[in-house]
Amino acid sequence: MTKGAPPKRLVVALGGNAILQPGEKGTFEEQDANVLKTCRQIAKILKKGHEVVITHGNGPQVGNILIQNERSGDVVPSMPLDVCGSESQGFIGYMIQNNMNRAMAEEGIHRDVATVVTQVVVDPKDPAFDAPTKPVGPFYDSKTAASKMKERGERWVEDSGRGWRKVVPSPDPLDIVEKQVIKVLLEAGILVVACGGGGIPVVAEGGAYRGVEAVIDKDLAAERLASMIRADMLLILTDVPRVCLNYRQPGQMELGQVTVKEARDFMNQGHFKAGSMKPKVQAAIRFVESGGKAAIISSLGAVLDAIDGLEGTRVVPGI
Ligand code: ADP
Ligand code: MG
């Protein structure tokens, strides 16, 4: 144990930029190199004696898998969204396992690493199912979108002038099917990767589970994971070092430490954008309300200081 915070159980939620940087094409080499940099940061956290559980986004990766499926549908059968999600968990999990081994070796430490293909339970009556909002897959022209809406009963929207895209529901995560597996692995000292891409959304059905066409927000799923394993801290790592008030507007101000009550008030005042910063703040609030000591939103580069309370936006209990 080196100086700094005492050892903690941490859930580290990696944002999209930990795997793919803006402007990159998405080749394996690009993603592998980004993941190595990310894993080097995580190895440094482990070296300080902390226990880490890793979770991550999958937007660009599952998007590309969907395109591959759509384009080759006349050659091999296309797979549904839940299966594509599971493929992305395996793909990203593999890159993390492989690069964590390398990064830990550089630090002179070792842990066995395992990726858990994770199913996350959602409520089939979640209002999100009546109002799909999350764009997935390739862009198409308006004619194709119209015919898909008619033929398949799907919902499509025009996405910021870039073309038409299918939208799917984004229901709230309730439970993690593999939570016991994750706990057993943790108790055995294994570095676990779980709930990738927010997990594969499933609904309970006849004593079992069925995959559904939806996307769970990865920050909200990270909160469920962190609360269920009683993590000391939820670390949401993105591409900004701190959450701001009046983001990109006059009077922009970075937030340091805020209470749950303050965070909720700022959220209700509309400071955090839906689909990007809002779910992170929401996840932080939920984690602390479920008994967590602190949730931190910061960047990958600032993570070591963030754990020690010197960087990032920290949401703590209190009014
Ligand atoms: P990730 O892949 O890490 O989930 P997102 O793009 O979903 O990344 O969310 C991070 C982005 O949220 C930042 O790059 C920033 O542009 C945006 N954002 C929206 N509102 C705020 C805010 N109030 N403070 C800081 N960043 C914000
Ligand atoms: Mg996001």
Side-chain angles (χ1 to χ4, degrees):
M1 190 66 200
T2 49
K3 75 175 172 57
K8 291 188 173 76
R9 175 176 280 187
L10 311 171
V11 167
V12 175
L14 301 170
N17 68 317
I19 309 171
L20 199 61
Q21 299 284 328
E24 288 179 339
K25 276 208 242 143
T27 64
F28 173 72
E29 288 72 20
E30 286 166 342
Q31 301 192 58
D32 200 46
N34 291 324
V35 172
L36 175 58
K37 282 189 204 141
T38 300
C39 289
R40 285 185 171 136
Q41 286 296 85
I42 294 170
K44 290 197 182 103
I45 302 174
L46 291 169
K47 182 130 191 193
K48 290 201 162 220
H50 300 299
E51 187 185 14
V52 173
V53 178
I54 302 171
T55 186
H56 58 82
N58 72 342
Q61 291 76 23
V62 78
N64 287 352
I65 293 169
L66 284 166
I67 293 172
Q68 288 164 346
N69 271 273
E70 284 275 321
R71 291 281 170 93
S72 56
D74 53 345
V75 185
V76 288
S78 297
M79 293 295 136
L81 182 57
D82 55 326
V83 176
C84 293
S86 74
E87 288 178 17
S88 77
Q89 287 185 346
F91 158 31
I92 298 168
Y94 157 58
M95 289 196 293
I96 295 175
Q97 288 174 211
N98 186 275
N99 284 299
M100 274 313 309
N101 280 325
R102 185 192 299 203
M104 286 190 289
E106 289 171 0
E107 293 290 341
I109 54 175
H110 178 76
R111 299 268 194 298
D112 286 311
V113 194
T115 299
V116 177
V117 174
T118 318
Q119 304 173 81
V120 172
V121 183
V122 300
D123 181 355
K125 296 199 184 76
D126 191 306
F129 285 103
D130 300 323
T133 52
K134 180 87 188 157
V136 291
F139 291 90
Y140 284 99
D141 56 35
S142 58
K143 225 176 114 194
T144 314
S147 77
K148 298 224 181 198
M149 281 191 268
K150 207 171 150 210
E151 282 165 27
R152 302 188 195 172
E154 295 171 350
R155 176 131 9 160
W156 285 63
V157 295
E158 214 280 324
D159 192 342
S160 333
R162 293 178 294 179
W164 285 76
R165 260 180 123 186
K166 180 163 125 177
V167 284
V168 299
S170 188
D172 232 5
L174 301 177
D175 196 9
I176 297 170
V177 176
E178 290 77 15
K179 60 178 182 272
Q180 204 49 39
V181 179
I182 296 167
K183 284 181 192 167
V184 167
L185 291 172
L186 277 178
E187 292 313 318
I190 289 166
L191 174 58
V192 177
V193 183
C195 286
I200 304 158
V202 296
V203 293
E205 198 175 78
Y209 298 100
R210 177 174 57 84
V212 290
E213 180 148 279
V215 170
I216 299 169
D217 183 89
K218 72 116 190 357
D219 298 311
L220 297 180
E223 181 281 321
R224 290 285 74 213
L225 175 64
S227 294
M228 277 175 190
I229 62 167
R230 303 236 167 275
D232 296 295
M233 209 182 258
L234 168 61
L235 281 154
I236 299 177
L237 303 181
T238 183
D239 51 3
V240 289
R242 287 186 170 182
V243 182
C244 293
L245 298 182
N246 304 311
Y247 183 64
R248 289 188 173 159
Q249 282 167 36
Q252 174 170 314
M253 193 188 99
E254 290 189 337
L255 291 172
Q257 180 156 303
V258 291
T259 65
V260 164
K261 162 102 174 46
E262 289 166 334
R264 180 174 295 105
D265 287 347
F266 292 141
M267 186 169 78
N268 292 339
Q269 288 160 18
H271 284 282
F272 316 127
K273 208 175 148 216
S276 60
M277 192 47 78
K278 191 175 173 187
K280 297 182 201 305
V281 176
Q282 226 168 354
I285 292 171
R286 286 183 185 178
F287 177 66
V288 175
E289 282 182 337
S290 304
K293 293 184 204 83
I296 296 172
I297 301 168
S298 191
S299 64
L300 193 59
V303 65
L304 291 164
D305 281 344
I307 294 169
D308 287 344
L310 305 170
E311 249 300 359
T313 298
R314 175 180 286 249
V315 179
V316 295
I319 53 165

